[in-house]
């Protein structure tokens, strides 16, 4: 019987439109399975990790299929349901399959192909005396004589230069070196040393005699052995962590006992996924929450997503917890999506208090290895990476590898390999952070979650105090079931709103730095009563720009079309788009004047002002700069919760879902910056943001006060918040959207032409507009430069399509790709990129 020949469609982690077909060596036939990782060669020499998408017997007609290099997994690491989800993301968001794979898989599961150097075995330095080698080439060859191989990066570091390609090319021409691709597995299991007693010493007589001998000749070793026996009895476990023993025993003593074969030492793979347990505070649902819970269950029975519209402080989380309990009783998994990593800190404590160690967390601040371990945990794969390491079958290990039935995570957690998903909760569903902007795929986690739920036949609950216009429209269209929590959980709480006209106070010189007198006085009173304050400013850094008073010159980024932001703590002018930075100049680079002035205010400036105004207060700042380390969020939130911080100053991080009972004053320092943004959603976003900030106060038993500082006190967004006319604001917003044919009455597709050449961008975007015009006629806008037209030395220009919902997504995408292919055909040698953003935010 002849062995069949199989061909494999592989998703490669590159931005190419199609899957690529490879041929499987016949000896690999039994190893093949959809969802396994394979090593494949793509291009002349690069090796990549791909995912098996399909197995078949059809050879490609357009090219000769290369052979698979290796199959990496014993069992699939990607499920077939996940691959269906990837296909939908790829189709709906116009993304290449490799882009979706890169977004979905933790980088630790993708092997890296790195170019390495080694000496040519046929190279004989003595026989090449006539060949001239430069000093750098000699240095590299000398190192290769002592080292079997060297990566390109190591070679560059050795020679203290940025690029070694030219030197290596010269050495290749002289046949002195060879270049090869070395594939490395990025995931490294965490290994820990464990100690147990040699089985021979289970004999009490032998153990007693040994202890007597050690007490006479090696007292430290006797102490270590006695401590081990004490811990073994206390923990009821044979294997003990060496690190635990080292707390009261010397390393030398333990190693000596291992050499004497009294102790046995082995390394085991252990998990990194350890979290603190919270205090279990059981709360009974209020009558309002119980009604909401029953209504949501009824919606789920009708197979409809539910939208929980609960005012801030109404206790949405308690309702979530009851629904999670129901889902766990059905032995199903839960995905709890949140927009900000900062929110995980409080939520993980609350959820772990109720559900214990089945709660896992997944977001970008985790290391590669931690993300791989969560992936494997959800997939129920606890594979040891090397046969020389055993899995510790001990209580210690079991504690660290609890199955995560409830995953709390940011948008990327959608891609985890769920096998039995029963419930998806999308908290703060309105939040823009659920949208992935760059790179591709530019997906929206809320919308993608709805499709993922259909694949798993799972229930979906969207929650927000300020639901998006799109979600409320879906309620009106009877696609979602609306459930409301209209009152705060603590009835005596709530907030009073005061609008502070900054223009009036500035004209009368009454401003206290960045604070209006009413806000300043409220902070003073709150501090006197030992209450806490949150100040919100939606801009980090010290000052948004530096201006010369003589000529008006403002330093700009050399790579982006933005001013450089002054960061006082770092003493740098920094671009927030590309990271370019310079030391602040002492004189104007345009006119030479020394009259430079920092204008505007960021969170650093506010922190400095508040420290001067309230010298006795304990002040902290929460923004991207102060929370770069992994546990920085947790430290700040814990300190604030424990009363170690009086005034917390922050960007949007402080606006979302945080629950502090002692906050009595909230200040929005510059509402104008969020009201005046040139976007059709700006009023909606401003309304949501101000309402969310307002909700951080008055969550305890006392009423809180919110101060909105603005130069536009009569603005309709601010009036609707003060007068509590949210429904009227929503109706007006929907009427405007319908009149101008904007979402939710249409679908937006933004196509961006990107190039380093300004003339090229102008010409190509105009050509693209003309190609699209016959298909979309009056529903086509542009081409226009965005607010920031140049980022990282590349110019951007947009063409916007307002697609009617009567057009099918397939027909719209076919028309777009047909136009893009024609553009590519007409301008083959032009260097440009095109980015497609479906449902841009």
């Amino acid at each position: 019987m002849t062995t069949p020949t199989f061909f494999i469609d592989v998703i490669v982690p590159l931005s190419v439109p199609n899957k690529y077909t490879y041929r499987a060596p016949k000896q690999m036939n039994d190893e093949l399975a959809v969802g396994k990782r394979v090593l494949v060669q793509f291009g002349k020499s690069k090796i990549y990790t791909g995912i098996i998408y399909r197995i078949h017997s059809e050879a490609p007609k357009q090219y000769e299929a290369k052979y698979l290099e290796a199959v990496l997994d014993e069992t699939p690491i990607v499920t077939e349901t996940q691959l269906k989800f990837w296909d939908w993301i790829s189709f709906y968001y116009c993304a290449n399959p490799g882009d979706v794979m890169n977004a979905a898989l933790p980088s630790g599961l993708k092997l890296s192909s790195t170019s390495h150097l080694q000496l040519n075995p046929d190279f004989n330095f003595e026989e090449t005396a006539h060949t001239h080698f430069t000093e750098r080439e000699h240095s590299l060859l000398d190192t290769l004589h002592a080292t079997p191989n060297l990566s390109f990066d190591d070679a560059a570091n050795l020679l203290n230069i940025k690029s070694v390609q030219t030197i290596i090319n010269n050495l290749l021409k002289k046949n002195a070196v060879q270049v090869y691709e070395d594939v490395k597995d990025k995931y490294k299991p965490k290994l820990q040393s464990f100690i147990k007693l040699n089985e021979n010493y289970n004999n009490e007589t032998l153990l007693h005699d040994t202890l007597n001998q050690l007490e006479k000749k090696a007292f430290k070793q006797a102490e270590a052995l006695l401590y081990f026996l004490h811990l073994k009895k206390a923990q009821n476990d044979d294997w003990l962590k060496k690190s635990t023993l080292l707390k009261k025993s010397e390393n030398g003593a333990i190693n000596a006992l291992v050499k004497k074969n009294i102790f046995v030492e082995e390394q085991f793979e252990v998990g990194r996924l350890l979290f603190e347990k919270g205090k279990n505070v059981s709360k009974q649902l209020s009558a309002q929450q119980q009604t909401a819970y029953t209504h949501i269950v009824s919606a789920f029975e009708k197979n409809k997503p539910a939208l929980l519209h609960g005012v801030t402080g109404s206790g949405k989380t308690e309702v979530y917890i009851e629904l999670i309990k129901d889902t766990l009783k059905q032995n199903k998994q839960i995905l709890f999506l949140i927009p900000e990593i900062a929110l995980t800190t409080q939520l993980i404590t609350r959820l772990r208090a109720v559900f214990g160690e089945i709660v896992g967390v997944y977001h970008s601040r985790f290391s590669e290895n931690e993300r791989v371990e969560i992936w494997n945990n959800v997939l129920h794969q606890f594979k040891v990476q090397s046969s020389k390491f055993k899995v510790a079958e001990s209580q210690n290990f079991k504690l660290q590898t609890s199955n995560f039935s409830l995953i709390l995570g940011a948008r990327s957690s959608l891609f985890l390999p769920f096998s039995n998903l029963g419930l998806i909760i999308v908290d703060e569903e309105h939040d823009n952070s659920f949208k992935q902007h760059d790179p591709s795929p530019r997906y929206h986690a809320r919308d993608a979650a709805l499709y993922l739920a259909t694949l798993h036949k799972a229930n979906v609950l969207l929650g927000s105090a300020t639901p998006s216009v799109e979600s409320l429209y879906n309620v009106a269209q009877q696609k979602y079931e609306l459930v409301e929590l209209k009152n705060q959980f603590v009835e005596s709480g709530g907030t009073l709103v005061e609008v502070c006209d900054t223009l009036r106070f500035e004209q009368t010189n009454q401003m206290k730095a960045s604070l209006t007198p009413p806000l300043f006085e409220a902070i003073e009173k709150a501090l006197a009563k030992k209450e806490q304050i949150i100040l919100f400013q939606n801009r980090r850094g010290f000052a948004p720009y530096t201006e010369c008073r003589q000529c008006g010159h403002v330093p700009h980024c050399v790579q982006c079309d933005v001013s450089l932001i002054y960061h006082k703590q770092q003493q740098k002018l920094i671009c927030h788009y590309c990271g370019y930075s310079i030391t602040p100049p002492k004189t104007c680079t345009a006119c030479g004047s020394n009259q430079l002035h920092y204008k505007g205010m960021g969170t650093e400036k506010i922190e400095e002002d508040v420290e001067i105004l309230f010298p006795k207060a304990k002040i902290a700042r929460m923004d991207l700069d102060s929370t770069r380390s992994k546990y920085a969020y947790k430290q700040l939130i814990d300190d604030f919760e424990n009363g170690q911080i009086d005034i917390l100053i922050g960007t949007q991080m402080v606006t979302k879902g945080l629950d502090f009972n002692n906050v009595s004053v909230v200040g929005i320092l510059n509402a104008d910056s969020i009201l005046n943004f040139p976007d059709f959603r700006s009023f909606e976003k401003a309304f949501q943001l101000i309402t969310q900030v307002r909700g951080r106060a008055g969550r305890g038993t006392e009423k809180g006060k919110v101060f909105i500082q603005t130069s536009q006190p009569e603005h309709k967004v601010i009036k609707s918040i003060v007068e509590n006319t949210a429904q009227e604001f929503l109706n007006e917003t929907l009427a405007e959207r319908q009149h101008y044919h904007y979402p939710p009455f249409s679908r937006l597709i933004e196509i961006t032409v990107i190039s380093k050449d300004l003339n090229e961008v102008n010409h190509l975007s105009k050509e693209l507009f003309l190609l699209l015009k016959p298909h979309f006629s009056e529903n086509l806008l542009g081409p226009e430069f965005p607010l920031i037209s140049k980022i990282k030395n590349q110019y951007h220009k947009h063409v916007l399509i307002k697609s009617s919902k009567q057009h099918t997504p397939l027909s719209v995408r076919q028309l777009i790709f047909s136009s893009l292919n024609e553009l590519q055909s007409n301008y083959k040698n032009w260097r440009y990129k095109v980015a497609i953003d479906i449902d841009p935010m």
Side-chain angles (χ1 to χ4, degrees):
M1 182 178 176
T2 45
T3 307
T5 299
F6 288 122
F7 292 88
I8 316 298
D9 290 347
V10 174
I11 303 173
V12 290
L14 299 169
S15 194
V16 290
N18 301 323
K19 285 104 182 171
Y20 207 71
T21 304
Y22 289 85
R23 183 173 178 171
K26 292 183 178 179
Q27 65 269 24
M28 289 186 190
N29 281 4
D30 293 338
E31 299 177 58
L32 301 176
V34 170
K36 282 188 177 184
R37 292 178 302 163
V38 287
L39 283 185
V40 293
Q41 183 183 336
F42 195 88
K44 290 185 178 179
S45 59
K46 287 285 184 183
I47 304 292
Y48 294 96
T49 306
I51 296 290
I52 296 179
Y53 179 81
R54 188 169 76 99
I55 304 168
H56 55 88
S57 303
E58 306 154 21
K61 295 176 182 177
Q62 294 83 5
Y63 54 90
E64 185 179 347
K66 296 175 184 176
Y67 279 95
L68 291 181
E69 299 287 331
V71 179
L72 296 175
D73 302 306
E74 293 178 9
T75 55
I77 66 152
V78 176
T79 68
E80 294 198 35
T81 304
Q82 278 180 288
L83 291 174
K84 289 178 185 175
F85 183 55
W86 291 12
D87 280 344
W88 181 83
I89 292 274
S90 177
F91 165 73
Y92 186 83
Y93 291 103
C94 297
N96 292 321
D99 294 333
V100 181
M101 175 186 166
N102 279 328
L105 274 187
S107 56
L109 287 174
K110 292 174 279 192
L111 302 183
S112 61
S113 173
T114 309
S115 296
H116 274 63
L117 281 174
Q118 65 182 20
L119 280 177
N120 185 339
D122 300 325
F123 172 70
N124 188 326
F125 195 80
E126 306 299 330
E127 295 176 5
T128 56
H130 61 282
T131 306
H132 174 70
F133 291 98
T134 66
E135 186 177 340
R136 282 177 171 168
E137 290 169 359
H138 267 296
S139 179
L140 207 50
L141 291 172
D142 288 342
T143 304
L144 287 171
H145 274 290
T147 308
N149 59 71
L150 205 62
S151 73
F152 278 27
D153 288 343
D154 288 341
N157 291 335
L158 174 76
L159 301 176
N160 199 24
I161 56 176
K162 286 186 178 179
S163 174
V164 289
Q165 266 71 10
T166 305
I167 295 168
I168 290 168
N169 283 338
N170 290 335
L171 289 172
L172 285 169
K173 289 175 186 175
K174 296 167 186 176
N175 293 318
V177 297
Q178 291 178 340
V179 174
Y180 68 96
E181 297 298 315
D182 179 32
V183 179
K184 293 183 178 179
D185 195 334
K186 290 182 180 178
Y187 173 69
K188 292 180 182 177
K190 183 179 179 182
L191 303 171
Q192 232 174 32
S193 290
F194 283 78
I195 300 289
K196 81 167 184 176
L197 193 65
N198 188 314
E199 290 179 3
N200 296 333
Y201 291 88
N202 289 333
N203 182 311
E204 286 191 17
T205 305
L206 179 59
L207 182 60
H208 187 265
D209 292 344
T210 303
L211 269 170
N212 286 338
Q213 288 175 17
L214 290 174
E215 284 176 350
K216 293 173 185 175
K217 297 181 180 180
F219 185 70
K220 294 286 186 186
Q221 293 174 33
E223 276 188 331
L225 181 54
L226 283 168
Y227 184 52
F228 172 88
L229 294 171
H230 167 72
L231 286 178
K232 180 185 175 186
K233 186 177 180 180
Q235 297 184 16
N236 191 27
D237 201 357
D238 289 336
W239 287 101
L240 299 178
K241 288 181 190 174
K242 188 176 182 180
S243 58
T244 305
L245 292 174
L246 288 172
K247 289 177 182 177
K248 289 193 177 180
S249 304
E250 291 184 0
N251 190 44
I254 295 171
N255 290 341
L257 290 170
V258 171
K259 282 183 181 178
K260 291 176 180 178
N261 210 22
I262 297 170
F263 279 168
V264 176
E265 180 178 3
E266 289 199 43
Q267 283 191 310
F268 298 128
E269 180 186 351
V270 295
R272 295 173 170 82
L273 312 175
L274 300 173
F275 304 103
E276 291 181 21
K277 293 181 183 178
K279 294 177 183 176
N280 194 349
V281 180
S282 181
K283 290 184 182 178
Q284 293 292 320
L285 295 186
S286 67
Q288 179 191 226
Q289 289 171 326
Q290 186 63 47
T291 303
Y293 163 77
T294 306
H295 194 170
I296 293 166
V297 171
S298 172
F300 289 168
E301 288 170 354
K302 292 185 278 186
N303 295 319
K304 286 178 74 172
L307 173 64
L308 179 57
H309 180 189
V311 299
T312 52
S314 59
K316 293 186 289 295
T317 305
E318 300 308 319
V319 178
Y320 297 157
I321 286 170
E322 289 304 309
L323 294 164
I324 291 168
K325 286 178 181 176
D326 292 347
T327 309
L328 288 172
K329 287 175 187 173
Q330 301 169 39
N331 292 318
K332 291 190 174 182
Q333 298 165 308
I334 301 99
L335 173 59
F336 196 132
L337 283 173
I338 51 173
E340 280 279 0
I341 297 168
L343 291 181
T344 61
T345 301
Q346 278 195 321
L347 264 176
I348 190 68
T349 305
R350 292 181 70 179
L351 294 175
R352 282 208 152 225
V354 180
F355 300 108
E357 294 185 348
I358 65 164
V359 185
V361 184
Y362 190 79
H363 56 65
S364 60
R365 288 291 171 95
F366 277 14
S367 68
E368 287 181 6
N369 290 327
E370 286 169 323
R371 296 180 82 180
V372 169
E373 288 187 19
I374 294 172
W375 183 283
N376 287 340
N377 190 301
V378 174
L379 193 62
H380 302 299
Q381 283 188 340
F382 303 100
K383 297 194 302 290
V384 182
Q385 299 297 310
S386 174
S387 59
K388 67 180 178 179
F389 300 121
K390 300 178 183 177
V391 174
E393 296 177 357
S394 69
Q395 291 176 8
N396 291 321
F397 182 74
K398 288 172 187 172
L399 273 174
Q400 295 178 57
T401 56
S402 303
N403 289 337
F404 294 141
S405 302
L406 168 56
I407 292 291
L408 175 68
R411 58 176 181 258
S412 59
S413 53
L414 276 172
F415 294 108
L416 284 167
F418 297 103
S419 55
N420 192 23
L421 195 58
L423 174 65
I424 302 177
I425 297 170
V426 185
D427 196 23
E428 310 293 349
E429 65 84 26
H430 67 278
D431 200 285
N432 294 334
S433 300
F434 280 126
K435 173 70 174 178
Q436 162 79 8
H437 295 286
D438 271 310
S440 178
R442 297 171 178 86
Y443 65 98
H444 196 296
R446 177 197 61 211
D447 301 341
L450 290 162
Y451 182 77
L452 182 65
T454 62
L455 292 176
H456 287 273
K457 297 180 180 176
N459 296 315
V460 179
L461 175 62
L462 310 178
S464 177
T466 53
S468 62
V469 168
E470 285 83 357
S471 291
L472 290 169
Y473 178 74
N474 282 330
V475 168
Q477 298 296 305
Q478 299 187 341
K479 292 181 180 179
Y480 299 166
E481 192 83 16
L482 179 64
V483 182
E484 293 185 292
L485 288 170
K486 295 183 177 179
N487 303 314
Q488 286 197 310
F489 188 77
V490 180
E491 291 183 10
S492 56
T495 53
L496 301 169
V497 180
E498 182 172 339
V499 181
C500 305
D501 186 347
T502 51
L503 277 180
R504 180 168 67 86
F505 289 119
E506 281 169 0
Q507 287 167 357
T508 54
N509 292 321
Q510 294 183 68
M511 292 291 290
K512 304 280 189 181
S514 50
L515 308 180
T516 52
L519 177 55
F520 176 81
E521 288 164 16
I523 293 172
E524 275 192 323
K525 289 176 184 176
L527 291 173
K529 291 159 68 175
K530 305 292 183 188
E531 293 170 345
Q532 292 171 299
I533 300 99
I534 290 177
L535 299 178
F536 166 68
Q537 168 64 2
N538 201 25
R539 189 182 288 274
R540 64 189 173 96
F542 188 88
Y545 60 100
T546 309
E547 184 181 71
C548 173
R549 282 176 170 159
Q550 290 281 37
C551 69
H553 173 71
V554 175
H556 273 65
C557 176
V558 296
Q559 300 179 131
C560 307
D561 189 20
V562 291
S563 59
L564 295 172
I565 294 172
Y566 176 51
H567 285 250
K568 190 171 185 179
Q569 195 170 353
Q570 297 171 253
Q571 280 299 302
K572 293 280 185 184
L573 293 180
I574 300 174
C575 172
H576 285 180
Y577 285 84
C578 70
Y580 170 79
S581 66
I582 59 171
T583 302
K586 293 180 180 178
T587 57
C588 175
T589 52
C591 72
S593 167
N594 61 1
Q595 295 187 43
L596 297 177
H597 179 55
Y598 296 120
K599 301 202 75 172
M601 57 179 180
T603 49
E604 276 189 18
K605 175 73 165 68
I606 292 160
E607 182 182 27
E608 185 179 274
D609 290 346
V610 171
E611 283 174 346
I612 294 168
L613 293 170
F614 306 101
K616 293 182 180 178
K618 292 169 282 188
I619 298 160
R621 175 167 50 89
M622 183 187 281
D623 56 24
L624 186 63
D625 299 315
S626 66
T627 57
R628 292 191 185 276
S629 65
K630 182 176 174 181
Y631 298 109
Y633 289 115
K634 177 171 173 51
Q635 191 61 56
L636 277 170
I637 288 169
D638 285 352
D639 288 349
F640 195 64
E641 207 163 20
N642 296 330
Q644 295 171 31
I645 298 169
D646 299 318
I647 304 174
L648 182 63
I649 300 158
T651 54
Q652 288 192 39
M653 294 177 188
V654 301
T655 71
K656 302 172 184 177
L658 298 175
D659 187 4
F660 303 113
N661 291 331
N662 196 36
V663 174
S664 64
V665 174
V666 168
I668 299 167
L669 301 188
N670 184 13
D672 297 344
S673 65
I674 49 179
L675 288 169
N676 299 328
F677 198 77
D679 177 67
F680 76 94
R681 285 193 177 94
S682 63
F683 289 177
E684 178 194 0
K685 289 177 182 177
F687 178 84
Q688 290 166 343
L689 193 56
I690 294 171
T691 304
Q692 289 288 336
V693 181
R694 171 184 177 176
R696 297 318 106 210
R699 299 177 78 91
T701 55
E702 299 294 326
K703 280 201 179 297
K705 197 153 189 186
V706 178
F707 296 84
I708 304 174
Q709 296 190 168
T710 176
S711 62
Q712 307 168 75
E714 296 301 312
H715 196 287
K716 67 177 183 179
V717 171
I718 291 173
K719 287 187 76 173
S720 69
I721 289 169
V722 173
E723 296 168 6
N724 202 22
T725 55
Q727 190 59 49
E728 289 84 345
F729 174 76
L730 173 67
N731 293 340
E732 188 179 335
T733 301
L734 279 170
E736 284 180 358
R737 299 271 185 94
Q738 188 169 23
H739 179 73
Y740 292 106
H741 196 51
Y742 274 106
F745 301 97
S746 67
R747 287 193 180 93
L748 294 187
I749 301 172
E750 185 180 81
I751 306 174
T752 306
V753 179
I754 306 166
S755 173
K756 289 186 176 182
D757 189 314
L758 178 59
N759 294 327
E760 203 169 273
V761 162
N762 284 326
H763 182 77
L764 289 170
S765 57
K766 186 177 179 182
E767 288 295 304
L768 177 61
F769 180 86
L770 294 173
L771 289 169
L772 292 167
K773 185 71 175 172
H775 307 303
F776 298 102
S777 59
E778 72 277 0
N779 291 326
L780 195 64
L781 300 177
E784 290 290 341
F785 286 111
L787 189 63
I788 299 167
S789 59
K790 181 186 173 190
I791 300 173
K792 295 181 181 178
N793 275 331
Q794 295 189 314
Y795 293 94
H796 296 62
K797 205 164 191 180
H798 297 327
V799 175
L800 190 69
I801 299 170
K802 292 181 183 177
S803 168
S804 168
K805 291 198 171 182
Q806 294 174 347
H807 292 113
T808 65
L810 179 61
S811 64
V812 170
R813 282 151 182 76
Q814 285 174 339
L815 291 171
I816 289 171
F817 283 115
S818 169
S819 300
L820 289 174
N821 289 337
E822 191 172 343
L823 185 73
Q824 174 65 30
S825 177
N826 294 339
Y827 299 93
K828 288 180 181 177
N829 298 322
W830 290 42
R831 293 187 177 182
Y832 69 96
K833 292 184 292 186
V834 173
I836 303 174
D837 192 358
I838 308 293
D839 306 330
M841 298 294 286

